[in-house]
Amino acid sequence: MSEQKYNVAVVGATGAVGEQILSLLEKRDFPVAELKLLSSARSAGKVLTFKGQDVVVEEATPDSFKGVDIALFSAGGDVSKELAPHAVSHGAVCIDNTNAFRMDPDKVLVVPEVNPEKIQEHNGIIANPNCSTIQMVAALKPLHDAFGIARIIVSTYQAVSGAGHKAIEEMLRQSKEILNGNADVQPDILPVGSLPVKHQIAFNAIPQIDKFTDNGYTLEEMKMVRETKKIMGDESIEVSATCVRIPVINGHSESVYVEFKNDYELEEVKSLLEKAPGITLVDDPASQAYPLASDAVGKPDVFVGRLRRDLTHSRGLNMWIVSDNLLKGAAWNAVQIAEIIVSNRNGRA
Amino acid sequence: MSEQKYNVAVVGATGAVGEQILSLLEKRDFPVAELKLLSSARSAGKVLTFKGQDVVVEEATPDSFKGVDIALFSAGGDVSKELAPHAVSHGAVCIDNTNAFRMDPDKVLVVPEVNPEKIQEHNGIIANPNCSTIQMVAALKPLHDAFGIARIIVSTYQAVSGAGHKAIEEMLRQSKEILNGNADVQPDILPVGSLPVKHQIAFNAIPQIDKFTDNGYTLEEMKMVRETKKIMGDESIEVSATCVRIPVINGHSESVYVEFKNDYELEEVKSLLEKAPGITLVDDPASQAYPLASDAVGKPDVFVGRLRRDLTHSRGLNMWIVSDNLLKGAAWNAVQIAEIIVSNRNGRA
């Protein structure tokens, strides 16, 4: 039996996440029949390469999805809201990296290490969670199954690549200017491209990612709250988050406090994480080993360490969770979902 | 009545904190009669200026403290342990910036906004707390008085200047190398000068400050636990900390979760912080205003913002606390103590 191949569209192909999706489809030897690279009108005409072949980027329109089997979206929420329904009407399954459909009760929100069974329940659109949520729930799932999570308090240390190419360029430009003795750099992208106030990101820490919501939390913080409940399938898990952008190019780090419903043993936590899929335990204080963003970049796993009993609560645990936000936090999670879709179809055939 | 003047010694005058102490003594017009700048043998002979006068740095020895009234130490714990007792025997009051005496039950540990009354109880040595502790307790004191703090969970975003000049130089050097395309930088100072394993700090986040202790927490984290209880004078306050070094030159940021014993109103929290000495409230989501390390540098205050009710506990509060770690976190706290000593003596005279 020859392997079935699929027509694949990548929407936002020239963006930071789109590039990684393309690279992963190639590296994983994803069964691509025809590949369509789509973008805004501004980036259309650019030429990218896939498996040694030049592919011209086309402007994404409602008609772009004729004959497409799987469409991977990462071109912003507005693009997904407009075009994903057209892709679905053409028969494509959409895997959407944006915030457009994540909390839609009719759409599934999937991290393959946590709730892969939801993929089969899709209505044409499968939402990929927010980067900061993915790495946290992937690490916490085996612990939730074992001890039951009552609540989570998380502080993030997020890389600028999560805000796209322009944010990376801004951070590098500001860093160069400061290193050259210009203390008064001009911020023009971060913290939020669409908001008026800009702050320096080089050699700084900005406690705002995405817009503020009415309760004083940012949208990024509320994504961690809502998405965690939905992915874990447990509305009883309480989450409070503080999301902070720091001058790191790639790789989100998170300081996570978890309070379990039941008693736990630290050795059991380590043993569960060692066996968990997609998790690498890096936790040896004696050799100063713990996860680092610089070590996580380019790797698909979620790295966990600094595991220690909380000093303020007997069922509390503190941990440090790091992952490449463009890979497991975005492109790799999406391609994993695509691989499971393909595997399910082949199984059915 | 002519103002009384004091012979002042600065031990570690060429270090990152020593420089700031010197600058503050000048700016504050501290009543200095004779100024002695002391250092290790390695730095002796350097010439610094004070109020337009050259002052030659001398090697610190037990005899350096003859005639000294006030000695400010920031040359490392070993130097303080060796020399502070000699300074005391010569009649000096020592204000010590190191970890040498902080948890000594016979020594007071002082943050002037929290426990200034302890200054009068000194036995010749007054310990200055750790930088990350000072800014946190200064911000939390008015809230503890009003609502009673049950527990604190804090994650820090600490600047490299806390590890001294060499750590700053290393971070800047690594940043330049990475910006010039050399991805493989050679770390040789951080995370801890005296430990064998080194990690890249440029464009990274290192979850280790100071050595590990037996319970899996680092010494920096345990300083925050123990010093908070001592300064607040309340052993019932529970603290868990995750201390992280990030690529910021100056200015520590902290994501702080506080759980009160009693109910609180957010407006009351804001009102208390607005009135608190040494605190500046920067908290307006509508105008994207919150404390930033880049804004705090060079200022004596502790900046507080991102105040919001925790979503997991009705008596929980989340906040973002930022301060210049070399000023309020070290030099300014020490000079404040020196000013109170002088003021008390003048009051008594």
Side-chain angles (χ1 to χ4, degrees), chain B residues 10-76:
Chain B
V10 178
V11 188
T14 60
V17 173
E19 280 178 357
Q20 297 293 330
I21 288 175
L22 204 60
S23 164
L24 282 167
L25 292 174
E26 184 169 315
K27 275 189 212 157
R28 301 281 304 176
D29 204 16
F30 193 85
V32 176
E34 198 193 330
L35 180 68
K36 274 196 180 184
L37 301 184
L38 304 170
S39 74
S40 63
R42 195 170 40 78
S43 296
K46 282 191 185 171
V47 179
L48 302 175
T49 60
F50 183 73
K51 295 192 173 179
Q53 306 279 316
D54 285 353
V55 185
V56 180
V57 178
E58 300 168 41
E59 184 182 350
T61 69
D63 290 336
S64 303
F65 301 93
K66 279 181 189 161
V68 168
D69 300 303
I70 296 172
L72 298 131
F73 281 78
S74 59

Side-chain angles (χ1 to χ4, degrees), chain A residues 283-298:
Chain A
D283 192 24
D284 182 22
S287 66
Q288 298 175 256
Y290 30 72
L292 291 169
S294 58
D295 291 336
V297 171

Side-chain angles (χ1 to χ4, degrees), chain A residues 118-135:
Chain A
K118 289 286 174 188
I119 292 173
Q120 306 211 39
E121 298 174 20
H122 75 77
N123 295 323
I125 296 176
I126 300 166
N128 217 34
N130 190 45
C131 47
S132 50
T133 312
I134 292 178
Q135 66 184 64

Side-chain angles (χ1 to χ4, degrees), chain A residues 151 208 217 259 290 309, chain B residues 151 208 217 290 309-310:
Chain A
R151 63 168 170 151
Q208 179 185 7
Y217 288 81
E259 206 167 284
Y290 30 72
R309 249 180 203 290
Chain B
R151 63 168 169 151
Q208 179 185 8
Y217 287 81
Y290 30 72
R309 248 180 205 293
D310 186 73

